[in-house]
Every structure is written in structure tokens, then in C-alpha cells.
Amino acid sequence: MNASPSPAALPSQTVQDRDRTRLWAALAALLFVPAVLAMGVLTLASERASRCLTYGEQCAPGLPGWLFEWGAGVGVVAFIVALAAPAVRVRQVAVAAQVLAECTALLVILSHA
């Protein structure tokens, strides 16, 4: 006869085993710093920003600086929630909020180019 185990006897992965929101939150937080540095270099390499820095000409303001501060701050708070929250759905929403906040902060830097 066939001695295969019944489906109930097979080990099943729980939702907690498959949930990788903490990993994605940590990865997004880790990659935010190099992304800020890359956006800063790209901004300084633009003609407008380099002319402003060198000659003080064409210094048009980009998005306000407080938007960067709030974006980075919300990203940090969402990162902490994504690491500490016990519910999977809360962690998923926190990771989404973290990525959106970090993208907002990066767009503020890029707006000065």
C-alpha cells in the first residue's frame, strides 16, 4: 500500500513563518542612507545646484526642508512600528508607510536639483 503521510500530518508554515515584513522594513531603512547620499550627489551634479553653489545664481528653492524632516521622522516611526507590532497586518501597513515616507524625503532632496 501507499505509505504517504496525510495532509494533516505534513508540517505547514504558519503566517508568522512566511511573514517577512520585519526583514523588508530593516532593508528599506538600511538602503535609505545610501539613497540619500546618491540623491545628494545627483542634486549637486545638476547644473542649477552647482551654479547656485559656485556662483550664487539660480538658487531657486525646492520643496521645504521640514518636509524632509517629517518624511524621515515618519519613516523612523513606521520602522519601529514594523519591528515591534505583533499583528502582521499592522506591520504590513507600517512597512508601506515607511517606504512612502522615505520616498517623500528622497523627493525633497531631488527637488533641489
Side-chain angles (χ1 to χ4, degrees):
M1 291 205 62
N2 192 358
S4 65
S6 67
L10 293 175
S12 63
Q13 287 185 330
T14 63
V15 174
Q16 296 294 334
D17 292 339
R18 289 180 277 141
D19 179 47
R20 294 205 163 107
T21 53
R22 289 183 175 118
L23 173 70
W24 287 113
L27 188 63
L30 231 112
L31 292 176
F32 179 65
V33 174
V36 166
L37 294 175
M39 289 295 149
V41 168
L42 285 175
T43 299
L44 290 175
S46 72
E47 182 180 345
R48 189 178 88 181
S50 60
R51 181 170 290 278
C52 176
L53 189 64
T54 307
Y55 303 112
E57 299 172 353
Q58 297 180 357
C59 296
L63 292 172
W66 61 264
L67 191 58
F68 173 80
E69 294 164 1
W70 274 93
V74 169
V76 168
V77 170
F79 172 63
I80 291 170
V81 170
L83 291 182
V88 175
R89 184 68 184 147
V90 173
R91 287 196 307 263
Q92 290 171 344
V93 171
V95 170
Q98 175 188 358
V99 170
L100 287 173
E102 289 175 356
C103 287
T104 301
L106 292 174
L107 283 174
V108 171
I109 295 171
L110 203 56
S111 73
H112 293 279

